Amino acid sequence: MASRTSPAAPVNTLAIDIGGTGLKASVLDPSGQMEHARVRIDTPYPLSPQKLVLELQKLIKDLPSFDRVSVGFPGMVRNGQVLSAPHFVSPNGPGGAPEPKLVKAWAGFDLASALEEVTGKPTKVANDADVQGAAVVQGKGLELVITLGTGVGTAMFSEGQLLPHFEFAHHPLRKGLTYNEVLGDAARKKLGNKKWSSRVWATVEVMRALTFFDHCYIGGGNGSRLGADLPEGVTVVSNDAGITGGIKLWERTQGQAGEAARSTPRSAPAKTAARRTPPAQPPAPHQRPGQDRVNEEEAAAPVRKRNTV
């Protein structure tokens, strides 16, 4: 008599999107559909790592059951540990002066382990642009993802696989100012959408020359403010991808080092389980080595009608 193999049980994913202005979450079924309407709260400040975990516990308490967790975080993440948290090191939030106590608290914080401890589920934590990109890339060639929100995020994929993360947000872009300072939401509000959009397109051409991408996707809360005409090879995508990428993150990082990919949650023996040896930190936000990288007066790229996903 032939043996029968039971089909694998469906796997639901808790997807969390941590942002400088809001904390969002939903549970996705195996097809990527939301099992529950997205829940959101404003990001509170000051925000220590421990307070973030407590706020996320409250945020997800009424959501349906889940089997694993995906988290998008607005900073550099490696092996589930936070290497930079630019929005959260100031008690006043994005753009504020860093406070040494918060800088120390966030340096190397093991967010994946902390969330595994409170949820009891295997957890992946990645940069938020990496998560959003996982939802939208087509798996063809080199694909660049840029997210425009409180700050700027970037991610790159080769043939659908997530590449190691580069934190362009803190790299000098123009007149010693970083990508965040040139293209972030504070700059948009100061310049107005039209001039800000010109800066975005100039930066896309810089990234095109740097990476020779085959296609570029632009998302985040401010992606929709760019207008109707887009440069060739550029697509604007929905900001919901920050949630729906929760499933794809598991697929596009299989077997990669540098990601918090655990088949079973680690035991939680310690209140200190989420602490570790802090890694080397990037320069402080006020340190801006480098020179002008973007010339706003350069000719605009060829445009075509809006292509959206």
Side-chain angles (χ1 to χ4, degrees):
M1 184 175 178
S3 61
R4 295 182 180 179
T5 302
S6 299
V11 175
N12 283 358
T13 304
L14 170 64
I16 298 173
D17 185 6
I18 298 170
T21 57
L23 308 177
K24 294 156 281 193
S26 186
V27 172
L28 309 176
D29 69 17
S31 71
Q33 297 299 308
M34 293 187 189
E35 292 274 284
H36 189 285
R38 187 183 71 172
V39 293
R40 183 192 185 280
I41 59 173
D42 290 342
T43 304
Y45 291 99
L47 187 63
S48 68
Q50 293 75 22
K51 185 174 181 180
L52 173 64
V53 172
L54 290 174
E55 292 295 330
L56 292 177
Q57 280 185 277
K58 291 188 288 185
L59 179 68
I60 68 175
K61 65 182 177 64
D62 295 325
L63 291 178
S65 62
F66 52 89
D67 305 290
R68 63 188 184 185
V69 184
S70 293
V71 182
F73 184 85
M76 191 73 166
V77 179
R78 186 174 298 146
N79 292 322
Q81 295 183 5
V82 174
L83 303 188
S84 70
H87 298 327
F88 305 146
V89 294
S90 169
N92 299 317
E99 180 182 270
K101 185 176 180 180
L102 284 171
V103 172
K104 183 178 180 180
W106 278 108
F109 179 74
D110 193 338
L111 182 57
S113 289
L115 291 175
E116 284 181 349
E117 183 174 343
V118 299
T119 64
K121 304 296 182 182
T123 300
K124 275 193 176 188
V125 181
N127 175 265
D128 51 357
D130 292 348
V131 176
Q132 184 156 147
V136 301
V137 297
Q138 302 299 302
K140 299 176 181 178
L142 183 67
E143 295 171 285
L144 171 69
V145 179
I146 300 174
T147 58
L148 302 170
T150 305
V152 180
T154 57
M156 288 190 289
F157 295 77
S158 179
E159 303 300 337
Q161 288 298 300
L162 177 64
L163 298 180
H165 186 74
F166 289 86
E167 192 72 329
F168 286 104
H170 308 298
H171 190 273
L173 174 66
R174 178 178 183 271
K175 297 181 179 179
L177 299 179
T178 65
Y179 282 67
N180 271 352
E181 292 166 320
V182 174
L183 303 178
D185 196 49
R188 182 191 65 79
K189 290 177 179 177
K190 180 179 179 179
L191 296 169
N193 285 340
K194 185 175 180 179
K195 188 172 182 181
W196 172 80
S197 295
S198 296
R199 284 189 174 186
V200 172
W201 300 139
T203 303
V204 166
E205 295 313 306
V206 169
M207 297 299 289
R208 192 193 302 270
L210 179 65
T211 66
F212 285 82
F213 61 74
D214 292 294
H215 203 87
C216 175
Y217 304 87
I218 298 183
N222 284 336
S224 61
R225 302 179 188 274
L226 288 168
D229 292 321
L230 307 178
E232 191 67 29
V234 176
T235 299
V236 170
V237 299
S238 169
N239 194 35
D240 284 343
I243 292 291
T244 58
I247 290 180
K248 291 295 185 180
L249 180 65
W250 286 83
E251 300 173 6
R252 298 192 187 279
T253 58
Q254 290 300 321
Q256 282 193 12
E259 294 295 332
R262 302 161 189 156
S263 59
T264 57
R266 292 196 278 192
S267 58
K271 291 284 185 183
T272 59
R275 300 302 305 169
R276 28 47 240 126
T277 303
Q281 292 300 296
H286 62 277
Q287 294 176 306
R288 301 169 184 159
Q291 56 187 346
D292 191 354
R293 304 294 186 190
V294 174
N295 182 354
E296 286 185 45
E297 308 305 323
E298 290 179 351
V303 298
R304 61 181 174 85
K305 290 301 179 182
R306 187 186 195 99
N307 179 16
T308 59
V309 169

